[in-house]
Amino acid sequence: MTLTSTGISARVLVIEDEPDLLDALVDYLNMEGMQAYGVKNLSDAQTWMILNNFDILLLDLGLPDGDGLNWLKKRQDLRNKGVIITTARSDSLSRISGIRAGADVYLVKPVLPEEIVSLVHNLMRRLRGQAVSVWKLDETGWRLLAPDGRPLKLTHSEHVLLQRLAQSSGQAVSKEALATSLGHNPEHYDFRRLEILIRRLRNKAKDTWDLTLPLETAHRLGYAFTAPIELG
């Protein structure tokens, strides 16, 4: 079984618009002991990535709702993931562009699933050797510590919000649940207040650290803290 440093099997997200190929790849990777999931377009991938953690991305480039290469170039949050491109584009310019965009491997279809499994093993060995960037929520001092240790002073509401999100790190927490944590009745709460609180917290992190806070909006669901975070 392919394992991460925490003993969890390698989690692989496959973005592929050919249904038969998508199903075959996901089934094969799961048979090899991995946790593989498949989506057919970039929009579904975006939603899935907000709600779930993963280690390796297997990305097709020609997708129905956009170009996978252009999408990859904009995803700075994938720098700590393993990225394998699988595509019919065999020209040298596309290969170079793919690597420059952040791909670890560029494969031209058709690709043997056995080759993909071997590459996942190789990438997981590299990922296991990297330090995990962990955020820390100081519950006594009402501070959020960035992975490099720099502190951000929090208001009471910001602290309560992050505390609730940290309890479900990597998963979306509904707006109703967050309102309840903040001491309000969701039936009478103006959720624009929550949006303002989230926006101010993001801006504070950007102004203080020049970092983008990994606090993502899950469309029609709520919010999620998408990076590892410890309570202490």
Side-chain angles (χ1 to χ4, degrees):
M1 181 178 291
T2 303
L3 299 178
T4 66
S5 57
T6 58
I8 302 172
S9 60
R11 296 160 296 191
V12 183
L13 173 61
V14 183
I15 309 178
E16 170 61 60
D17 68 328
E18 297 181 34
D20 292 341
L21 179 56
L22 176 63
D23 292 342
L25 282 172
V26 170
D27 288 346
Y28 189 86
L29 293 174
N30 283 324
M31 286 174 56
E32 288 294 312
M34 303 175 192
Q35 297 179 25
Y37 310 87
V39 294
K40 299 177 181 178
N41 54 58
L42 296 174
S43 177
D44 289 347
Q46 188 93 354
T47 301
W48 191 93
M49 289 164 62
I50 291 174
L51 301 174
N52 301 275
N53 292 320
F54 66 101
D55 306 298
I56 307 292
L57 175 66
L58 191 61
L59 174 66
D60 184 22
L61 297 185
L63 296 163
D65 58 346
D67 182 85
L69 185 57
N70 292 334
W71 178 81
L72 180 61
K73 291 176 181 177
K74 301 174 183 177
R75 301 293 307 206
Q76 297 297 318
D77 57 323
L78 297 178
R79 297 304 184 187
N80 64 338
K81 310 293 185 183
V83 179
I84 302 172
I85 286 177
T86 61
T87 179
R89 302 177 193 174
S90 59
D91 61 285
S92 58
L93 180 59
S94 293
R95 286 177 178 270
I96 294 171
S97 298
I99 299 301
R100 286 179 176 173
D104 298 281
V105 183
Y106 189 102
L107 300 176
V108 178
K109 296 177 180 179
V111 181
L112 293 175
E114 294 87 351
E115 182 179 7
I116 292 175
V117 168
S118 296
L119 289 169
V120 170
H121 279 281
N122 290 341
L123 289 173
M124 288 305 300
R125 281 194 291 269
R126 187 204 75 188
L127 293 173
R128 283 202 301 269
Q130 294 179 345
V132 177
S133 296
V134 179
W135 299 71
K136 295 183 180 180
L137 183 61
D138 178 1
E139 298 194 86
T140 57
W142 287 12
R143 300 182 306 163
L144 178 65
L145 303 179
D148 61 7
R150 289 182 293 166
L152 179 69
K153 189 65 177 177
L154 302 171
T155 66
H156 173 71
S157 295
E158 291 168 347
H159 177 262
V160 171
L161 173 74
L162 287 172
Q163 187 180 51
R164 179 63 185 87
L165 290 169
Q167 292 170 357
S168 303
S169 178
Q171 300 179 346
V173 180
S174 70
K175 294 180 180 180
E176 291 76 13
L178 292 174
T180 300
S181 297
L182 291 166
H184 301 287
N185 184 339
E187 294 183 3
H188 307 292
Y189 182 65
D190 184 354
F191 287 103
R192 287 176 297 182
R193 295 174 59 187
L194 178 60
E195 295 172 2
I196 293 172
L197 177 62
I198 295 284
R199 184 167 63 251
R200 286 179 176 172
L201 182 55
R202 287 170 173 162
N203 290 339
K204 183 193 289 190
K206 186 68 175 178
D207 293 341
T208 303
W209 293 323
D210 195 25
L211 290 176
T212 299
L213 194 65
L215 178 51
E216 302 285 347
T217 302
H219 185 56
R220 296 182 180 177
L221 294 174
Y223 299 91
F225 200 90
T226 57
I229 181 170
E230 296 179 352
L231 298 173

